Amino acid sequence: MIDALLQATVNGLIAGTILAVPAIGFSAIFAVLNYPNFAIGALAAVGAYAGWLANARFGWPLEASLVAAFAGAAAAGLAAERLAMRPLEPAGALMMAIASLAAGLVLENLIRLAFGNDPRGYALPLARDLVVGGLRVGPQQLRNLGIALAIMAAVWAFLRWTRTGRAMRAVADNRDLARLRGIDPERVAMTTVAVGAGLAGFGGLLVGVDTAAEPVMGQRLVLSIFAAAVLGGLGSIPGAVAGALAIGIVEEWSVLLLNPAYRTAIAFAVILAVLTVRPAGLFGTRAD
Amino acid sequence: MSPTPNRGRRALLATTSALGAATLAAPWPTRAQPAPIRLGTLTPLTGAGGPYGPVMANTAKAVVDAVNAAGGVAGRRVELVSEDDQTNPEAGVRAARKLIDVDKVSAVIGTWASSVTTAVAPLCWESKTFLCTVSGADSITQLPHQGYLIRTQPNTTLQGRKFGEYALQLGAKRMFFMTPQTPFAQSVFTNTKAALEKGGGTAELLIYDDKKPSLRTEVDQALRFKPDIVFMGGYAPDTTVLARDLFRAGFQGKLLSYGYAVNQKVAEANAEATEGAYTMSPSPAEGSGAFKRVVEITKSATPDPYSCQVYDHVSMVLMAIAAAKDASGTAIRDTVRKVCQGGGRKVDNAVDGIRAILAGEKVDYDGASGPCDFTDLGDIVDCRFRYEQARKGRIELIRIA
């Protein structure tokens, strides 16, 4: 049982690290634009397909395909923001959230129109797992883990040291003060959408590499992404990472202990428990 | 003010009344075309059933087009309305409501996932609309459907038993049965296990969440059972995840699955992970006249069983309407068995069948999916199975039995 628990923890950590990438995107968009973008799952699927095109059709290596995944998802994210969510801004965050749900459905079906319903596998060899100290880890998973960690480091550096990154943090913190300092909130908002959607695209590619790119993959991801972001504290980047790791591990543990019918309930029970003690989430500061 | 407008209005009134009178006085045929017969397809154009639904809907349309080209059913045109159930019960119910309440179809054809059929069936029998389905769950024909439902897919008791017997033939004794929650999961497992135990084998069940992007921990559970065969009981998207995780974990035993889960596209995209996987699915009646027509319609040498079944659904329903001279769901219910079983001239398509019926002949339809004979509950009497194996990314036929 201890073995099983350890293995489940390793599986959960790896799943959580990959989940953290789109969760950061989701949280960043929430922090700057103040609405939950539920198109994030579909944007991940767009990234998975863009990456698949680059990798399987045009023969790009995996790391180069990441660029395609980012660009494809960022473009789709910007289009959705401009066409669906932004026109509803005066109606409030709830309407924008609903519009993002709709935009997600449209994106998913555009993928279907372009690529059909069948799963698409990346042109990467499927490798057997390595056994280290009695625990199984896949080489591709390790590579994905490395990529996810590098992406997170890059996001952190971007937010901390670049002018645009600092502007994003300033707008998230206080929109009006940022405007007084000469920051154009509109430009920052669009940059955030592009980066957030691009991160979702990365996440989609990493999941697609692990399994396959398929139109419904966004639906599989969106609840976990949302749960991770809420758990960590909506709008907090470190929170999104911590939340994703926690959700990843709890989801794997629940397989060992419970009927899978309760898996989603478990994720929400954890959120409920954490939010009861810390209403703003693990790392959130906004709701105090 | 000029008097012209008034005169104009009077003139207009007079003309309109005259026109109205002329319309009323006209003999019946010029007054209106006979009302068309409306049928609805409710197939999964999207969701896990997405690889099948569009082909099924096209096949139904081809049958309707052929019948219309031959003059319709006793002079009445047939209209086909196609809706998407999204492989999702809620969406299926919404679409069925539209077909029944707005389009007023006589029959709903082609529901695929058992969960969708289970949700849609009550709307059909309550509104006296006939329902033809390709879903396999035992529970479906046990619903109180008052005869308004037939299915061309063998039920899961039979499928489960066949899976268990097949595993034994493959030399396997310890089966780990992995499936998402579906209306048929428990029944297939129980019957597979019973068949295995009869041959000295054993089986264990694990129900997984098909929305999970990775099934590694579930696979670890499976490996602790030390199975010599793993049954993959999901649909294509989650089976892809499962097969890959089983491969990564180094599982060396046999894989067994449904034909719709490890299909050609899944095998192609995951050649290594699905290598050697065995599948079993209800077999269409290969070589029959109806089957050859489905081959032409779908432009595929091996059309999927569901398109074959939908071809039969539309053909049987239209022949039943012709025989009953009535397009109501109740008329279809009362007549459908008279055109597809019990002897008579053998026909394998709706056009010939309708022609023979209008000439006063008794017909017995043999379809693309099989002989199409039904029990009182709505189950098919007889079915063959198609045994296949994935080899190097291709699905190869082992035998039909």
Side-chain angles (χ1 to χ4, degrees):
Chain A
M1 189 63 196
I2 297 290
D3 278 3
L5 208 60
L6 266 178
Q7 180 70 56
T9 311
V10 171
N11 295 350
L13 274 175
I14 295 176
T17 316
I18 290 173
L19 186 65
V21 178
I24 293 172
F26 182 88
S27 237
I29 294 179
F30 185 85
V32 173
L33 288 96
N34 281 314
Y35 78 94
N37 187 338
F38 291 115
I40 204 87
L43 290 170
V46 170
Y49 274 90
W52 173 81
L53 263 185
N55 174 260
R57 278 282 167 84
F58 304 126
W60 295 12
L62 182 60
E63 279 74 9
S65 305
L66 282 165
V67 179
F70 186 95
L78 282 174
E81 176 71 25
R82 277 278 174 221
L83 298 174
M85 282 80 101
R86 188 48 63 94
L88 287 172
E89 198 179 10
L94 180 62
M95 282 302 143
M96 293 176 82
I98 293 171
S100 72
L101 270 175
L105 287 177
V106 171
L107 282 175
E108 183 185 316
N109 285 294
L110 285 178
I111 292 176
R112 255 192 204 105
L113 213 58
F115 297 96
N117 271 310
D118 300 309
R120 308 283 181 161
Y122 280 69
L124 293 167
L126 190 60
R128 302 267 189 191
D129 288 352
L130 311 168
V131 179
V132 186
L135 295 175
R136 291 192 304 106
V137 200
Q140 185 62 50
Q141 275 189 305
L142 287 178
R143 195 170 167 195
N144 289 354
L145 183 71
I147 292 174
L149 290 174
I151 291 169
M152 281 190 257
V155 170
W156 182 79
F158 169 75
L159 288 177
R160 189 168 179 86
W161 283 312
T162 66
R163 207 182 148 73
T164 319
R166 283 205 301 268
M168 275 165 69
R169 285 195 295 151
V171 173
D173 219 31
N174 190 324
R175 208 181 170 86
D176 296 327
L177 265 184
R179 203 198 306 266
L180 283 178
R181 297 281 299 170
I183 295 170
D184 175 8
E186 181 56 24
R187 236 189 75 198
V188 169
M190 285 302 130
T191 313
T192 309
V193 169
V195 172
L199 287 172
F202 279 153
L205 178 137
L206 293 176
V207 172
V209 165
D210 210 25
T211 56
E214 31 145 359
V216 291
M217 66 190 295
Q219 294 178 24
R220 294 157 175 272
L221 288 171
V222 69
L223 257 189
S224 302
I225 295 173
F226 180 60
V230 170
L231 184 59
L234 269 173
S236 156
I237 305 290
V241 177
L245 291 178
I247 293 287
I249 294 173
V250 168
E251 283 189 352
E252 295 302 320
W253 280 357
S254 71
V255 174
L256 296 180
L257 306 172
L258 273 173
N259 184 315
Y262 303 118
R263 181 184 73 104
T264 323
I266 285 293
F268 284 104
V270 171
I271 293 177
L272 205 62
V274 171
L275 295 191
T276 308
V277 186
R278 284 188 61 86
L282 290 174
F283 289 73
T285 49
R286 316 184 113 240
D288 45 23
Chain B
M1 229 189 178
S2 128
T4 327
N6 260 339
R7 203 190 313 146
R9 198 175 303 152
R10 258 199 305 274
L12 183 71
L13 269 173
T15 323
T16 331
S17 341
L19 265 177
T23 314
L24 283 174
W28 186 81
T30 57
R31 198 167 64 208
Q33 291 285 316
I37 295 165
R38 288 222 168 114
L39 303 183
T41 58
L42 183 54
T43 60
L45 304 181
T46 55
Y52 299 107
V55 191
M56 293 164 74
N58 280 343
T59 308
K61 184 170 179 302
V63 178
V64 167
D65 288 349
V67 168
N68 280 334
V73 179
R76 290 177 73 182
R77 276 186 60 76
V78 185
E79 281 181 16
L80 188 71
V81 187
S82 171
E83 287 295 333
D84 179 13
D85 68 29
Q86 300 176 26
T87 329
N88 172 331
E90 288 95 346
V93 164
R94 277 199 304 277
R97 281 253 80 98
K98 188 240 170 198
L99 287 173
I100 294 167
D101 297 339
V102 180
D103 300 316
K104 307 215 180 309
V105 298
S106 306
V108 172
I109 284 163
T111 53
W112 188 81
S114 291
S115 55
V116 173
T117 305
T118 307
V120 164
L123 305 182
C124 289
W125 78 65
E126 289 297 330
S127 63
K128 302 192 188 320
T129 307
F130 199 66
L131 174 64
C132 303
T133 173
V134 305
S135 304
D138 279 350
S139 51
I140 286 171
T141 42
Q142 287 154 12
L143 294 168
H145 57 72
Q146 302 155 35
Y148 285 96
L149 181 156
I150 54 170
R151 69 154 150 223
T152 38
Q153 179 85 344
N155 66 23
T156 42
T157 301
L158 178 60
Q159 291 194 50
R161 202 185 76 219
K162 293 273 181 186
F163 273 123
E165 290 168 359
Y166 190 35
L168 287 172
Q169 283 169 28
L170 294 171
K173 295 271 187 191
R174 286 179 72 78
M175 175 186 280
F176 199 78
F177 193 102
M178 304 179 79
T179 171
Q181 190 61 270
T182 61
F184 52 85
Q186 192 63 46
S187 146
V188 176
F189 172 70
T190 311
N191 290 292
T192 306
K193 188 178 179 193
L196 265 171
E197 282 174 345
K198 217 178 263 179
T202 177
E204 191 167 304
L205 173 69
L206 180 123
I207 293 188
Y208 63 79
D209 179 350
D210 58 357
K211 294 272 186 294
K212 251 182 111 207
S214 148
L215 294 169
R216 299 179 69 90
T217 303
E218 288 81 351
V219 165
D220 290 333
Q221 294 272 78
L223 296 189
R224 270 194 288 283
F225 179 71
K226 302 205 184 327
D228 48 19
I229 190 164
V230 169
F231 185 88
M232 305 190 291
Y235 292 122
D238 47 300
T239 300
T240 302
V241 178
L242 179 58
R244 291 174 69 96
D245 280 339
L246 278 164
F247 177 88
R248 291 198 184 102
F251 177 63
Q252 302 282 0
K254 296 182 171 68
L255 297 172
L256 181 59
S257 186
Y258 299 108
Y260 57 71
V262 180
N263 58 26
Q264 182 53 47
K265 291 286 162 61
V266 169
E268 224 172 86
N270 306 282
E272 285 169 295
T274 57
E275 181 60 29
Y278 295 95
T279 67
M280 190 190 83
S281 36
S283 172
E286 266 183 53
S288 69
F291 181 84
K292 285 177 190 153
R293 284 196 176 76
V294 180
V295 168
E296 275 171 37
I297 293 168
T298 58
K299 297 187 181 64
S300 155
T302 52
D304 65 81
Y306 313 109
S307 298
C308 293
Q309 293 179 35
V310 159
Y311 178 92
D312 294 342
H313 294 167
V314 181
S315 303
M316 287 186 291
V317 163
L318 290 178
M319 286 190 295
I321 291 172
K325 299 185 176 61
D326 180 352
S328 69
T330 310
I332 299 171
R333 175 192 72 172
D334 296 340
T335 324
V336 71
R337 286 175 181 75
K338 293 180 186 148
V339 298
C340 59
Q341 60 205 72
R345 189 179 142 198
K346 289 282 180 194
V347 291
D348 60 16
N349 68 85
V351 172
D352 291 352
I354 292 167
R355 201 170 287 145
I357 289 165
L358 294 180
E361 278 184 83
K362 163 104 179 74
V363 296
D364 183 349
Y365 177 76
D366 276 355
S369 65
C372 292
D373 297 343
F374 300 91
T375 64
D376 290 342
L377 267 184
D379 277 317
I380 41 168
V381 174
D382 181 29
C383 178
R384 291 190 299 168
F385 286 87
R386 190 180 170 87
Y387 297 86
E388 289 169 304
Q389 189 178 26
R391 292 175 193 150
K392 296 195 171 72
R394 295 203 55 78
I395 298 293
E396 291 180 9
L397 179 66
I398 300 176
R399 65 171 191 277
I400 296 175

